[in-house]
Structure formats: C-alpha cells, structure tokens
Amino acid sequence: EDEQIVAEIMRRRFFPAVITHKAWEGFRFAGHEIRITEATDCYGAVVWPSALVLCYFLETNSKQYNLVDKNVIEIGAGTGLVSIVASLLGAIVTATDLPELLGNLQHNVLQNTKLKCKHQPSVKELSWGIDLEKNFPRSSCQFDYIMAADVVYHHPFLDELLLTFDHLCKNDTIILWAMKFRLDKENQFVGRFQKMFDLDVISNFPSLNITLYKAMRKGRMKV
C-alpha cells in the first residue's frame, strides 16, 4: 500500500518537455497544473517529497479536512506548493518563510493562484521565534490550520521552531505536519513537540521515511 500511494503521489509531478533558462517543476493537484520555479542554491527553494505528501493528503481528504474559507498559515513555505494547493482548495492562506526566499515564493504563489482561487493568498516574512507577537499578534491572528512540510532538518533553530508552533497555535488550531526522518537530533524534536501538543500519525510512508502528523494543543477544552 505504501509503494502504491507513493507511486500515485510521484505521478503528480511532471517536468518541462524542453530545457528552459529557468528551472521549474510541474505538479498536478486540486484540478490544476502548478508550475514551481526552483532555486538550487538553498534548501528552501526546492520542492521536497514531504510537500508532495501533504498536498496529496489535502486533495484526497478535502471532505474531512474542508479548507474552504479556513484561515491557513504555512511555515517554511519554501517554493509555496503546499500554500498554493491549500489556496486552490478554497483556504485563506498566509505563506511564510525567511526574507531571502520571499521573492521566489511570491512569484510561485501569484503565478499559480491569480484568478484561480476564492481567496488570493498572501506572502509574509516569518523568521522562527523572532518578533512573533509584533508580526502575528495573538489577539488578531486566528489560524484554523498550520501547515508544515519538512521544516525539521539539519538546522540550529529547533527551539525557535517549537516557539513558533506554540505562538501560532490556538486551542482549536489543527497542525498538519509532514516530516522526513533523517538524524537523531531532528528526530528527538518529535518528543519535545509531544510535551506541548497531542500528536497523531495520519499516514506513514516507510519508502520515503516520511510521516504525516496531525497535532493539537494539549490541555485544550474538548467538546
């Protein structure tokens, strides 16, 4: 089953028929062909398999996780694929990343969503752990979903990442997080995350070493 689903996910990717001066990859999600311009000089400007796993989940579970008119923020949006798919599925999306990635992110989001979405997504700078209350005040930023694909990798900002999840997440916020397991330090982040959030495995893909999680804040009021 894992191999069949992974094969279906990977079939959503296509490449230009001829070589162009700009590197791009194509994807088919939410009834649209999505063209993503990439850069090879930084991790954040490449589409990683975790993003494809999350996009496939959003599309194939659109009834259970109905994004229409929902407020969604993607952290570490990179090339913007997840934000684009969420927008095409009807969400009100804020795509965020580091300032040096915003130009390419804005280009991809605009190119693939203009006149195609119910709500035009926005692109905003978010450096994990920095000026969170100033840029995303708790009183006015109410997100139904936080999306994250492959945000835990070899970097020294895991404390700041956890702080960012904590700041953005309200009692009823759902976190959808696709993670590729690589190194022990990054893998231990899951244990730290679980001290603050209830974590459930939605899907597991051993062939990709990727797990898709759903999380919500611990201690929330349950109906």
Side-chain angles (χ1 to χ4, degrees):
E1 183 180 1
D2 167 50
E3 292 179 354
Q4 290 177 351
I5 295 175
V6 168
E8 168 59 24
I9 293 172
M10 294 307 166
R11 278 196 291 269
R12 301 302 186 93
R13 168 185 265 157
F14 66 93
F15 298 93
V18 296
I19 298 175
T20 62
H21 68 285
K22 270 191 176 180
W24 65 270
E25 286 186 77
F27 304 90
R28 295 182 178 90
F29 288 108
H32 292 268
E33 288 193 355
I34 301 167
R35 293 193 178 192
I36 296 294
T37 301
E38 297 184 329
T40 57
D41 57 349
C42 58
Y43 291 122
V46 176
V47 176
W48 299 99
S50 292
L52 301 185
V53 167
L54 184 48
C55 289
Y56 180 80
F57 174 81
L58 294 176
E59 181 189 70
T60 55
N61 294 273
S62 60
K63 290 184 178 179
Q64 183 179 358
Y65 294 87
N66 185 354
L67 298 184
V68 177
D69 299 332
K70 297 295 193 299
N71 283 309
V72 173
I73 186 169
E74 184 186 6
I75 62 173
T79 61
L81 180 61
V82 172
S83 289
I84 291 164
V85 171
S87 297
L88 293 171
L89 291 171
I92 306 164
V93 175
T94 303
T96 71
D97 215 312
L98 296 169
E100 59 267 27
L101 297 174
L102 295 187
N104 190 58
L105 175 58
Q106 179 72 65
H107 168 78
N108 285 329
V109 167
L110 186 62
Q111 175 177 267
N112 291 285
T113 61
K114 189 175 182 180
L115 303 180
K116 299 177 183 177
C117 298
K118 185 176 183 181
H119 308 283
Q120 185 60 38
S122 62
V123 172
K124 191 170 181 179
E125 176 185 342
L126 173 54
S127 298
W128 296 339
I130 298 176
D131 292 332
L132 293 175
E133 181 59 28
K134 175 184 176 183
N135 296 323
F136 299 90
R138 290 178 183 270
S139 59
S140 58
C141 291
Q142 306 285 334
F143 296 110
D144 300 296
Y145 289 91
I146 299 171
M147 308 281 182
D150 220 6
V151 292
V152 181
Y153 48 87
H154 185 57
H155 62 69
F157 303 111
L158 295 180
D159 290 340
E160 291 81 358
L161 174 59
L162 192 58
L163 184 65
T164 301
F165 273 124
D166 180 50
H167 180 83
L168 296 174
C169 189
K170 302 296 187 292
N171 283 341
D172 56 351
T173 302
I174 296 172
I175 299 171
L176 295 176
W177 168 28
M179 175 174 174
K180 182 176 179 67
F181 285 82
R182 296 182 176 91
L183 305 171
D184 285 342
K185 180 182 177 183
E186 284 73 30
N187 299 348
Q188 291 167 8
F189 179 84
V190 176
R192 295 177 57 200
F193 186 89
Q194 285 181 289
K195 293 178 181 179
M196 301 173 65
F197 300 95
D198 292 322
L199 191 64
D200 296 312
V201 174
I202 295 177
S203 302
N204 197 31
F205 301 96
S207 62
L208 295 175
N209 214 22
I210 291 172
T211 300
L212 178 60
Y213 294 107
K214 172 188 174 182
M216 296 187 76
R217 180 180 292 284
K218 282 184 179 292
R220 65 191 182 278
M221 295 293 292
K222 297 181 180 179
V223 178

